[in-house]
C-alpha cells in the first residue's frame, strides 16, 4: 500500500504540490487525472523517488521513502516498474536488449532464461519478432509497448504509468489501455496511471483521483467521479473551454 | 511584501554585496558538485560491479574511432613543425638539431595538448550530447528507477576509457608527427636519416616521455570528466543539450591549456 501524507513541493517561488494526500490500495489501478502542468508528473516523480518533498511523507508499506538513503531506496525501487511518458528506451540498444536489460543487470538469470522471459513479454505486448529493431525504427505506439514490456519484465509489485497513451491515435489509446488491464489481471500488480485521456481512462480504473492546484480535490470509483458534484472535476471531465483570465 | 520586492527596497551597497554573495555561493556550490562528481565516478571505477563491457565500448568510442583524426592531425603537425623549425634553425646554422627539436616539442607539449583538443572536439562533444539527450529523454531517470546507478553505467566507463586511450593516442600522435617531420626533412630539405634520428636519440630522454605521458593521462581525465559532467547536468530541451555541448568543449579546451601550463611548470 502507498500512502502520501501532506506532501509539499516548490520549485523556486512556485508551489506545485500543496499538502497532497493520497492512498493507493494494493492491487488496484488508481488513475490520477488533472490538467497539464497541475503536478501529476511531479507527484509521480516523488512516488518513484526521483524527487524529494519539501515536507510530508510517502509511505510504501509503512516505510517512509522520503527519509531513505540511496541503497534503501533502491531496494524499494526493485519492486517498481515505471513506464515513462516518452518510453525512455535506451537508444543504443535494440528492442530486445532494452527489455532484457533489467534482467541482465538485476538478476542472476542465465541467458536462456532471460531469452525466454523477454520473448514472452514481447509476445504479451504484441511485439513478437520485433526484438532486433532499434527503438528509432518503430512507431510511437510500439515504443510505448516496449516500455511496458521492459517495466513488467521483472514482475514488479507496483507499476507507474506516466501518460502512457499521450500522442497516440484513439485505436492505439484503447489498445494500450486494454493491454494494461489485461496485464494487471494476469500479474495483479498495483498500478498508478497518470493520464488525461477522458473518458477512456474510466474504463480501466478501479479508482480515480483528481489532482488540481497541487492537491487531490476528489477521488472515488470512475462512476463516483463522473457523478461528482465538485465543479472542478466536472469542468475537467467535460473538457469545458475556459477563458485565459480564468487560469 | 515579496522577497524580490523587499530585496529591491535595500540600499544599493547592500544589494551589491548581497548579489556578490549569491554569485559566490553559486560558484562554490557548482565547484563542490563538480569535484564530488569526479570523486564519485572514481569510486565506481574501483568498487565492483565494474562494467567491463561498457568500458570496452567507451574505449572503442573515444579511442579507436578517433584514430583517423589523430593520425591525420599528427602527420600535418609534424610536417609543419619540420618545415618551420628547419627555417628557424637554418638561421643559426643548427639544422642538425631539427630531429630533437621536433621530438621534444611533440613529446613534451604539442602531442598531448593538440591530441587532447582534437579528441575533445570529436569524442568529448559527442559524450556530452549523448548524455544530454539521455537526460532529457528520461533515460537516466529510467536507469535510476531500475535501481541501477547511472553514474556507474554512464560516467565511470568514459573516465576509465579516457585514462586508457589518451596516453596511447598521444603516443601515436607523437610517432606520426615525428615521421611527418622526417618526411619533410629527408624528402624536401635533404637531411640524412642519421642526422635526424641520431641527434634525437641524444637529446630526448625518458623524463621527456614521462612528462608527455602524465599530461596525456591527466587530459584524459579532464576531458571525460568535464564532458560527462556537462551532459549529465544539461538543461532542458535541444537548447540545453546544445549549450551543454558548447560549454563542455570550451571548458575542456581552457582546462587543457591551463593544466598544461601547470604540469609544464611542475614536471621536470
Amino acid at each position: 500500500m502507498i500512502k502520501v501524507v501532506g506532501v509539499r513541493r516548490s520549485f523556486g517561488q512556485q508551489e506545485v504540490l500543496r499538502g497532497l494526500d493520497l492512498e493507493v490500495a494494493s492491487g488496484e489501478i488508481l488513475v490520477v487525472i488533472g490538467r497539464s502542468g497541475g503536478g501529476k508528473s511531479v507527484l509521480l516523480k516523488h512516488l518513484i523517488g526521483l524527487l524529494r518533498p519539501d515536507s510530508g511523507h510517502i509511505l510504501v508499506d509503512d516505510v517512509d521513502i522520503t527519509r531513505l538513503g540511496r541503497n534503501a531506496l533502491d531496494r524499494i525501487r526493485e519492486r517498481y516498474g515505471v513506464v515513462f511518458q516518452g518510453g525512455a528506451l535506451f537508444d543504443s540498444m535494440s528492442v530486445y536488449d532494452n527489455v532484457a536489460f533489467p534482467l541482465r543487470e538485476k538478476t542472476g538469470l542465465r541467458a536462456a532464461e532471460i531469452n525466454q522471459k523477454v520473448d514472452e513479454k514481447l509476445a504479451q505486448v504484441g511485439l513478437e519478432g520485433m526484438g532486433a529493431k532499434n527503438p528509432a525504427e518503430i512507431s510511437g505506439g510500439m515504443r510505448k509497448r516496449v516500455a511496458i514490456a521492459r517495466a513488467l519484465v521483472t514482475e514488479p509489485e507496483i507499476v507507474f504509468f506516466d501518460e502512457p497513451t499521450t500522442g497516440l491515435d484513439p485505436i492505439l489509446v484503447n489498445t494500450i489501455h486494454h493491454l494494461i488491464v489485461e496485464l494487471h489481471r494476469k500479474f495483479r500488480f498495483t498500478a498508478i496511471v497518470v493520464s488525461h485521456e477522458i473518458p477512456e481512462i474510466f474504463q480501466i480504473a478501479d479508482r480515480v483521483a483528481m489532482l488540481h492546484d497541487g492537491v487531490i480535490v476528489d477521488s472515488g470509483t470512475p462512476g463516483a467521479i463522473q457523478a461528482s458534484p465538485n465543479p472542478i472535476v466536472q469542468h475537467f471531465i467535460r473538457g469545458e473551454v475556459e477563458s485565459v483570465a480564468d487560469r | 511584501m515579496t522577497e524580490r520586492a523587499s530585496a529591491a527596497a535595500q540600499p544599493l551597497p547592500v544589494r551589491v554585496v548581497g548579489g556578490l554573495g549569491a554569485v559566490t555561493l553559486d560558484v562554490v556550490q557548482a565547484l563542490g558538485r563538480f569535484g564530488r562528481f569526479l570523486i564519485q565516478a572514481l569510486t565506481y571505477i574501483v568498487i565492483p560491479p565494474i562494467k567491463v563491457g561498457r568500458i570496452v565500448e567507451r574505449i572503442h568510442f573515444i579511442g579507436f574511432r578517433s584514430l583517423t583524426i589523430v593520425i591525420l592531425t599528427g602527420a600535418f603537425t609534424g610536417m609543419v613543425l619540420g618545415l618551420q623549425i628547419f627555417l628557424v634553425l637554418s638561421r643559426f646554422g643548427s639544422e642538425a638539431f631539427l630531429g630533437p627539436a621536433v621530438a621534444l616539442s611533440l613529446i613534451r607539449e604539442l602531442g598531448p595538448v593538440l591530441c587532447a583538443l582534437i579528441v575533445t572536439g570529436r569524442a568529448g562533444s559527442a559524450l556530452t550530447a549523448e548524455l544530454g539527450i539521455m537526460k532529457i529523454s528520461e533515460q537516466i531517470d529510467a536507469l535510476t528507477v531500475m535501481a541501477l546507478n547511472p553514474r556507474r553505467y554512464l560516467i565511470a566507463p568514459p573516465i576509465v576509457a579516457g585514462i586508457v586511450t589518451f596516453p596511447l593516442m598521444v603516443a601515436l600522435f607523437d610517432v606520426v608527427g615525428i615521421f611527418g617531420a622526417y618526411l619533410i626533412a629527408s624528402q624536401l630539405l635533404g637531411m640524412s636519416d642519421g642526422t635526424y634520428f641520431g641527434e634525437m636519440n641524444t637529446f630526448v630522454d625518458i623524463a621527456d616521455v614521462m612528462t608527455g605521458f602524465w599530461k596525456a593521462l591527466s587530459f584524459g581525465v579532464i576531458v571525460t570528466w568535464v564532458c560527462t559532467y556537462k551532459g549529465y547536468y544539461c538543461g532542458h530541451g535541444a537548447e540545453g543539450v546544445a549549450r551543454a555541448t558548447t560549454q563542455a568543449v570550451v571548458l575542456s579546451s581552457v582546462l587543457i591549456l591551463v593544466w598544461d601550463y601547470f604540469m609544464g611548470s611542475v614536471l621536470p
Side-chain angles (χ1 to χ4, degrees):
Chain A
M1 185 203 215
I2 299 174
K3 200 170 175 184
V4 181
V5 187
V7 164
R8 289 182 173 275
R9 176 64 197 240
S10 300
F11 295 93
Q13 300 289 315
Q14 190 191 3
E15 194 174 30
V16 178
L17 301 180
R18 302 162 186 246
L20 187 145
D21 296 308
L22 181 68
E23 279 189 26
V24 190
S26 294
E28 75 169 341
I29 299 181
L30 174 81
V31 176
V32 180
I33 58 171
R35 290 177 45 180
S36 297
K40 300 190 299 296
S41 292
V42 172
L43 169 63
L44 199 73
K45 285 189 173 177
H46 279 84
L47 294 175
I48 59 182
L50 289 176
L51 291 174
R52 284 183 195 259
D54 297 332
S55 63
H57 308 279
I58 298 167
L59 307 168
V60 178
D61 290 339
D62 297 326
V63 177
D64 187 354
I65 64 166
T66 65
R67 303 276 183 270
L68 296 180
R70 188 184 182 103
N71 292 338
L73 187 55
D74 276 349
R75 279 196 289 280
I76 298 281
R77 283 179 178 143
E78 282 168 1
R79 299 164 56 192
Y80 286 178
V82 182
V83 179
F84 286 89
Q85 197 173 338
L89 300 178
F90 302 121
D91 303 325
S92 55
M93 296 180 193
S94 66
V95 163
Y96 177 91
D97 287 336
N98 262 285
V99 180
F101 185 75
L103 294 175
R104 285 179 184 149
E105 297 296 335
K106 298 302 292 182
T107 68
L109 293 178
R110 286 172 299 155
E113 290 170 303
I114 290 174
N115 199 20
Q116 187 203 336
K117 276 180 180 284
V118 173
D119 285 345
E120 189 183 301
K121 271 303 170 252
L122 285 175
Q124 279 166 0
V125 298
L127 290 176
E128 49 283 71
M130 302 292 281
K133 296 261 186 201
N134 196 279
E137 296 171 334
I138 58 176
S139 68
M142 286 177 175
R143 275 201 291 275
K144 300 268 189 190
R145 282 187 276 163
V146 176
I148 291 173
R150 187 178 68 181
L152 296 182
V153 75
T154 50
E155 295 173 10
E157 294 167 46
I158 305 163
V159 186
F160 300 88
F161 297 85
D162 188 5
E163 303 194 12
T165 52
T166 301
L168 301 181
D169 66 52
I171 295 170
L172 273 176
V173 168
N174 283 327
T175 308
I176 298 284
H177 285 166
H178 182 73
L179 184 62
I180 292 171
V181 172
E182 202 178 299
L183 293 170
H184 176 260
R185 201 171 290 146
K186 194 163 183 184
F187 299 106
R188 302 310 305 171
F189 49 77
T190 304
I192 294 137
V193 185
V194 163
S195 179
H196 40 222
E197 295 288 352
I198 305 289
E200 292 86 351
I201 203 72
F202 291 131
Q203 293 166 14
I204 73 161
D206 292 325
R207 217 154 53 81
V208 178
M210 168 84 193
L211 177 62
H212 183 77
D213 272 351
V215 289
I216 300 293
V217 291
D218 204 355
S219 68
T221 61
I225 284 290
Q226 282 169 294
S228 169
N230 189 322
I232 296 168
V233 177
Q234 287 304 320
H235 196 70
F236 179 75
I237 61 179
R238 287 185 195 152
E240 286 168 356
V241 178
E242 62 180 19
S243 71
V244 176
D246 293 338
R247 301 189 72 174
Chain B
M1 191 185 284
T2 66
E3 212 169 284
R4 189 174 291 179
S6 65
Q10 300 277 354
L12 182 66
V14 175
R15 273 187 282 153
V16 170
V17 172
L20 275 173
V23 169
T24 309
L25 281 176
D26 283 348
V27 170
V28 170
Q29 266 183 352
L31 284 174
R33 196 169 61 172
F34 191 43
R36 202 165 149 243
F37 184 81
L38 177 66
I39 290 165
Q40 283 181 340
L42 293 175
T43 311
Y44 296 130
I45 288 172
V46 291
I47 296 176
I50 293 161
K51 300 294 161 192
V52 178
R54 284 287 296 172
I55 292 171
V56 171
E57 190 274 322
R58 292 288 95 176
I59 287 174
H60 177 264
F61 177 74
I62 295 172
F64 184 76
R65 287 170 65 181
S66 300
L67 284 183
T68 309
I69 190 79
V70 166
I71 290 170
L72 200 67
T73 48
F76 280 97
T77 303
M79 285 157 76
V80 169
L81 268 184
L83 202 59
Q84 293 300 328
I85 293 179
F86 183 84
L87 290 176
V88 173
L89 291 178
S90 64
R91 294 185 187 181
F92 306 105
S94 314
E95 296 91 330
F97 295 109
L98 178 66
V102 166
L104 286 172
S105 306
L106 280 169
I107 291 169
R108 291 186 61 93
E109 202 63 49
L110 289 174
V113 172
L114 287 180
C115 187
L117 291 174
I118 285 157
V119 177
T120 299
R122 199 212 69 80
S125 57
L127 270 181
T128 307
E130 186 184 14
L131 277 174
I133 289 167
M134 289 187 78
K135 168 93 183 290
I136 65 171
S137 60
E138 297 182 307
Q139 292 175 51
I140 293 179
D141 286 345
L143 277 173
T144 307
V145 297
M146 285 176 197
L148 299 168
N149 190 329
R151 295 187 188 196
R152 189 183 291 284
Y153 282 82
L154 303 173
I155 312 302
I159 292 180
V160 175
I163 292 169
V164 172
T165 59
F166 270 60
L168 294 171
M169 283 190 288
V170 168
L172 181 68
F173 187 99
D174 292 347
V175 169
V176 172
I178 288 167
F179 275 96
Y182 163 72
L183 195 72
I184 296 297
S186 65
Q187 301 301 312
L188 201 67
L189 307 170
M191 185 177 280
S192 72
D193 298 2
T195 310
Y196 184 82
F197 287 110
E199 294 299 330
M200 198 186 294
N201 201 25
T202 312
F203 285 97
V204 179
D205 63 30
I206 192 67
D208 301 309
V209 176
M210 290 313 291
T211 297
F213 171 79
W214 290 119
K215 282 185 178 181
L217 195 75
S218 54
F219 293 159
V221 174
I222 287 170
V223 171
T224 48
W225 171 28
V226 171
C227 292
T228 52
Y229 175 82
K230 287 290 177 185
Y232 198 83
Y233 288 108
C234 88
H236 300 288
E239 195 191 342
V241 177
R243 192 179 302 124
T245 308
T246 307
Q247 286 175 349
V249 172
V250 171
L251 184 59
S252 296
S253 304
V254 170
L255 282 179
I256 286 166
L257 296 172
V258 171
W259 188 249
D260 180 55
Y261 172 77
F262 174 75
M263 295 281 278
S265 59
V266 168
L267 294 171

